[in-house]
Amino acid sequence: MSKFQVVAVWRDKWITVVLLVLLGLLQYRLWLGKHSIPDYHALTRQVEEQSQQNANLAQRNALLEADINDLKIGLEAIEERARNELGLIKEGETFYRILPAEAN
């Protein structure tokens, strides 16, 4: 094989070598670099968790808003809350407490 034949073979192969090196670099960046596929999956999980937390907080806010509206609208809600949370007993009412039987 002459010197010119070797140069001609490498001249034809250098494009392939360069393309393979570029492909390797791109694959490295895709799997291990910044903004890679594992990073994408981790961010997707974080978004799902945050969406769940937001849904829970939205439900809690709706319940609190309903309580606020009840308290603004009527005295019955205030009275019910005082009875349940503070043990309020009206004048003239009799309070009965039923205790469970003791198991012997």
Side-chain angles (χ1 to χ4, degrees):
M1 193 176 244
S2 73
K3 186 177 180 182
F4 292 113
Q5 288 174 337
V6 171
V7 170
V9 168
W10 275 106
R11 187 178 58 206
D12 293 339
K13 302 274 181 175
W14 78 273
I15 293 175
T16 306
V17 170
V18 168
L19 289 176
L20 285 174
V21 168
L22 286 174
L23 178 65
L25 291 173
L26 288 173
Q27 286 295 313
Y28 171 80
R29 186 166 181 206
L30 177 68
W31 294 103
L32 302 173
K34 189 176 181 182
H35 306 301
S36 62
I37 289 176
D39 289 346
Y40 169 76
H41 289 298
L43 287 175
T44 302
R45 279 192 302 275
Q46 286 178 359
V47 167
E48 289 172 3
E49 290 171 6
Q50 189 65 48
S51 296
Q52 183 63 39
Q53 287 178 357
N54 290 348
N56 291 341
L57 290 174
Q59 183 180 11
R60 179 177 163 251
N61 287 345
L63 290 173
L64 289 174
E65 187 175 343
D67 276 349
I68 289 170
N69 288 335
D70 284 345
L71 292 173
K72 284 182 181 178
I73 290 174
L75 294 176
E76 293 97 23
I78 295 172
E79 184 179 332
E80 178 186 346
R81 195 169 196 146
R83 285 176 179 271
N84 291 335
E85 294 177 8
L86 303 174
L88 175 72
I89 302 171
K90 280 185 173 180
E91 228 178 278
E93 287 183 339
T94 304
F95 177 72
Y96 294 99
R97 177 177 286 178
I98 300 173
L99 298 174
E102 291 183 23
N104 289 330

